[in-house]
Amino acid sequence: MSARDRLTTDRLVLRRWIDDDRAPFAELNADPEVMRYFPQTMTRDQSDAMVDRIELGFEENGFGLWAIEIEGRFAGFTGLNRTTFETPMGPHVEIGWRLATWAWGQGYASEAARYVLAEAFGSLGLTEVYSFTTETNAPSEAVMRRIGMTRRPDLDFDHPNTPGWWGAKHIVYRAQPMNTVDVPTCITMYLAAHDQRDAMTALAQFANNACVIDDGKTYEGISGVETFLRKAGSEYTYTRTLISAQEMTAERWRVTNRLEGNFPGGQVDLSYEFDLLDGLIARLVIAP
């Protein structure tokens, strides 16, 4: 079981660490704003020691926290790590991220994390990945939700390595590959039929008054949904890889797919949010 040393997304390069990363990483770790939800900032020696542990993790586990490069500039990390302290999850792999402030607010963390999850459930063959953060870290929690992870309040815990710290209480999210999640039949049937360009089978999964919102356009009713399905099935040629599925409520699901094909850009991760009614799709919203 071994991940690739280098991953590329539309805007990012995720790679193994080099010595030139150490100085900007130390600067990042010394920034109080970056470390706002950690007990303290890090010294240069502490930061360098973390790089050493990350690279050792790649050698021991076959995966780790990849350094992120944006237009040739080091921006932080996103990746996988085996948690070394006791938690309610038991032995597990977590996904995490840390970016410099200049890289905030542009979707980089979510973009990188989606690719890391695809690697985790693809070449690494993992069956679950967790993420956790202090309960007040709303920006990090938002990334967890955007990449399709599911909230697990039953697993929340007090971090054993930070007794007395105001942020010791941690919230937990989990991601699983779609084939291990009990996704409603209408969703799996729709996705499978759409892959086969079988518009009629896909259409049968929608309620009569359903609507689809895609690329800023709204398709209403069965005739509108049929128009969407035939257009989507003929405009471009592409393959679809399932990254994650999240049960948001009993009647709402979010599925993240990676499309690769002959459309502009060649590759994109899309969120498919399904609202269900009586076992059929009542509303589908597709967005980056």
Side-chain angles (χ1 to χ4, degrees), residues 5-256:
D5 287 345
R6 184 181 181 92
L7 307 173
T8 57
T9 78
D10 290 343
R11 301 182 295 169
L12 313 173
V13 173
L14 283 71
R15 55 163 175 76
R16 295 283 293 270
W17 294 67
I18 59 177
D19 282 342
D20 285 348
D21 297 332
R22 292 177 180 266
F25 188 51
E27 182 178 349
L28 180 158
N29 288 325
D31 185 338
E33 187 63 18
V34 172
M35 304 298 285
R36 178 180 177 184
Y37 298 104
F38 291 86
Q40 59 190 18
T41 57
M42 300 173 70
T43 66
R44 175 61 187 263
D45 286 346
Q46 290 171 328
S47 181
D48 284 348
M50 184 174 179
V51 174
D52 294 338
R53 290 194 300 273
I54 291 171
E55 276 299 303
L56 181 61
F58 273 106
E59 299 302 323
E60 292 182 343
N61 301 317
F63 57 80
L65 302 170
W66 285 271
I68 295 178
E69 193 177 291
I70 302 173
E71 296 182 351
R73 183 180 180 185
F74 174 85
F77 68 74
T78 300
L80 303 167
N81 181 57
R82 291 195 185 278
T83 303
T84 57
F85 50 85
E86 285 193 18
T87 72
M89 296 85 81
H92 68 275
V93 174
E94 64 165 315
I95 182 172
W97 43 82
R98 188 181 304 172
L99 273 67
T101 55
W102 62 265
W104 290 5
Q106 300 171 74
Y108 293 137
S110 299
E111 182 175 326
R114 289 191 187 103
Y115 273 69
V116 169
L117 279 183
E119 188 77 2
F121 298 141
S123 64
L124 291 174
L126 299 180
T127 59
E128 61 181 9
V129 172
Y130 289 91
S131 191
F132 48 84
T133 186
T134 182
E135 62 182 350
T136 59
N137 190 350
S140 191
E141 185 181 7
V143 173
M144 297 175 197
R145 292 197 304 267
R146 281 196 294 269
I147 64 176
M149 303 190 81
T150 301
R151 180 78 169 90
R152 289 295 305 271
D154 56 310
L155 298 174
D156 290 355
F157 65 96
D158 290 336
H159 202 299
N161 294 343
T162 58
W165 176 47
W166 61 264
K169 180 70 173 179
H170 277 53
I171 58 174
V172 177
Y173 279 72
R174 182 176 69 171
Q176 296 175 280
M178 191 167 179
N179 60 8
T180 66
V181 180
D182 190 16
V183 178
T185 300
C186 62
I187 295 177
T188 59
M189 289 286 289
Y190 160 73
L191 293 172
H194 201 36
D195 286 347
Q196 298 299 316
R197 308 298 192 266
D198 182 353
M200 296 313 296
T201 300
L203 186 64
Q205 311 312 312
F206 287 84
N208 287 333
N209 60 348
C211 76
V212 175
I213 301 173
D214 178 42
D215 198 23
K217 299 178 181 179
T218 299
Y219 304 83
E220 295 184 309
I222 284 295
S223 60
V225 174
E226 183 176 2
T227 298
F228 157 74
L229 291 170
R230 296 194 182 282
K231 178 183 177 183
S234 62
E235 193 170 12
Y236 298 111
T237 299
Y238 57 85
T239 59
R240 180 180 58 85
T241 302
L242 293 167
I243 296 177
S244 65
Q246 176 187 11
E247 183 180 12
M248 302 171 71
T249 70
E251 299 296 331
R252 176 170 291 178
W253 285 74
R254 179 181 294 146
V255 176
T256 303

